[in-house]
Amino acid sequence: MAIENSGVAGKPGELAGRRAVVTGGSRGIGAAVTRGLVEAGATVVTSARSEPPHSPPGAAFVTADLSTAAGVSRFADTALDLMGGVDIIVNNAGGCRSFQSVLELENDWQYTMDINFLAAVRLNAALVPAMRRSGGAIVHVSSIATVAAYPNLLHYAAAKSALETYSRGLAAELAPDGIRVVSVCLGNVETPASRRARDQIVGPDGGNPDDLIEQWAAEIPLGRLGDPEDIAEAVRFLVSPRASWITGSNVVIDGGKTASLY
Ligand SMILES: NC(=O)c1ccc[n+]([C@@H]2O[C@H](COP(=O)([O-])OP(=O)(O)OC[C@H]3O[C@@H](n4cnc5c(N)ncnc54)[C@H](OP(=O)(O)O)[C@@H]3O)[C@@H](O)[C@H]2O)c1
């Protein structure tokens, strides 16, 4: 684990003085969330397995593999060392690295549970004792794969379902400490991960990947995929004092996709 950019300090804003940990901040949604929290004045420490070409401006970046207990533990210790405490945790790192039948048990079930569910459980366990002193907010990034059956994604959907259930229960447990806990349940957001998924589905000879994007967009009532900034705005609100009566919620952010399923 290497600290690429330490000693950051927040700037004036609604989150001034707040110390945030964001996992998976090197690209996509986590990078947008990191930017959003820095802009709001928070001090942010973020992480990924690989250092991005451009470190998230204003945030400290730590390399860590959060699919292992040891990686999470080292990341949590480093974040606490850098900031002296924590007020906000955004458990964002995750994703689905392969599509597989539910009957294939050998490949990705364990990894998918580790990165999409247990990484958050482990990180919260490491950091919540420090939050208990001053309250705070925890966000879990989930997916509408928990709501609808998507082919060959059940390992991912099951891990995210566990995350949502855990998030609700943790909210009840931590409310007396003034710690709010929410999950955000995301539809299709245009990120490096969704572009990888599109390319995998289309395949090398399968036609124009942009046609698939158009098809996905047509299934969304608001007519477009999400932008990482759409999610960053929501997370910034949810961790702010403006959301002080919101806890235990699962906030669906999907351009209306799941509403249109019923
Ligand atoms: N994009 C969507 O349409 C969508 C929809 C629903 C939910 N989500 C959820 O939103 C979150 C972010 O997705 P995204 O689309 O922004 O994905 P992304 O573009 O692939 O970014 C994922 C981030 O997590 C980090 N990460 C992945 N595996 C890690 C590991 N084992 N240890 C540490 N860091 C790790 C990645 O960096 P490294 O690879 O360098 O480690 C990267 O910074 C995920 O939880 C995903 O399930 C996304």
Side-chain angles (χ1 to χ4, degrees):
M1 179 179 297
I3 301 165
E4 312 299 346
N5 167 24
S6 61
V8 284
K11 55 183 188 178
E14 68 176 341
L15 297 179
R18 308 300 276 171
R19 298 155 299 183
V21 166
V22 179
T23 65
S26 64
R27 58 175 188 260
I29 293 161
V33 167
T34 298
R35 280 194 301 276
L37 298 188
V38 167
E39 275 166 27
T43 300
V44 183
V45 175
T46 188
S47 71
R49 285 166 302 181
S50 317
E51 185 189 352
H54 309 289
S55 269
F61 180 80
V62 177
T63 51
D65 183 351
L66 302 184
S67 68
T68 69
V72 172
S73 168
R74 282 199 305 276
F75 173 53
D77 289 348
T78 308
L80 288 175
D81 281 351
L82 284 170
M83 297 193 292
V86 63
D87 310 289
I88 294 165
I89 307 171
V90 182
N91 286 290
N92 163 77
C96 182
R97 66 182 184 182
S98 69
F99 299 92
Q100 67 178 50
S101 155
V102 67
L103 300 180
E104 283 175 43
L105 296 179
E106 296 306 318
N107 299 329
D108 264 351
W109 273 90
Q110 188 60 55
Y111 176 79
T112 305
M113 292 300 285
D114 278 330
I115 191 59
N116 288 288
F117 174 47
L118 291 172
V121 174
R122 290 167 174 148
L123 189 63
N124 295 338
L127 294 179
V128 161
M131 287 175 97
R132 278 204 152 110
R133 287 175 221 129
S134 53
I138 300 174
V139 177
H140 298 111
V141 178
S142 186
S143 162
I144 62 168
T146 59
V147 178
Y150 291 96
N152 297 323
L153 276 182
L154 194 51
H155 53 323
Y156 174 69
K160 292 296 197 189
S161 295
L163 185 69
E164 289 177 13
T165 303
Y166 159 79
S167 185
R168 245 191 325 274
L170 191 68
E173 191 166 326
L174 297 184
D177 294 302
I179 301 173
R180 297 183 299 101
V181 186
V182 296
S183 49
V184 288
C185 185
L186 309 184
N188 206 330
V189 181
E190 194 145 12
T191 68
S194 65
R195 287 190 280 279
R196 270 197 316 278
R198 173 199 62 187
D199 294 344
Q200 263 182 285
I201 292 167
V202 170
D205 308 316
N208 184 352
D210 290 341
D211 291 346
L212 187 57
I213 296 275
E214 269 182 40
Q215 186 193 318
W216 284 345
E219 291 165 1
I220 298 171
L222 287 180
R224 66 170 175 86
L225 269 60
D227 185 284
E229 300 298 333
D230 295 323
I231 314 309
E233 273 298 316
V235 170
R236 181 168 156 166
F237 164 72
L238 287 167
V239 301
S240 79
R242 289 178 288 148
S244 63
W245 208 52
I246 300 178
T247 197
S249 312
N250 184 27
V251 180
V252 177
I253 309 171
D254 68 350
K257 166 101 187 206
T258 45
S260 71
L261 294 175
Y262 303 116

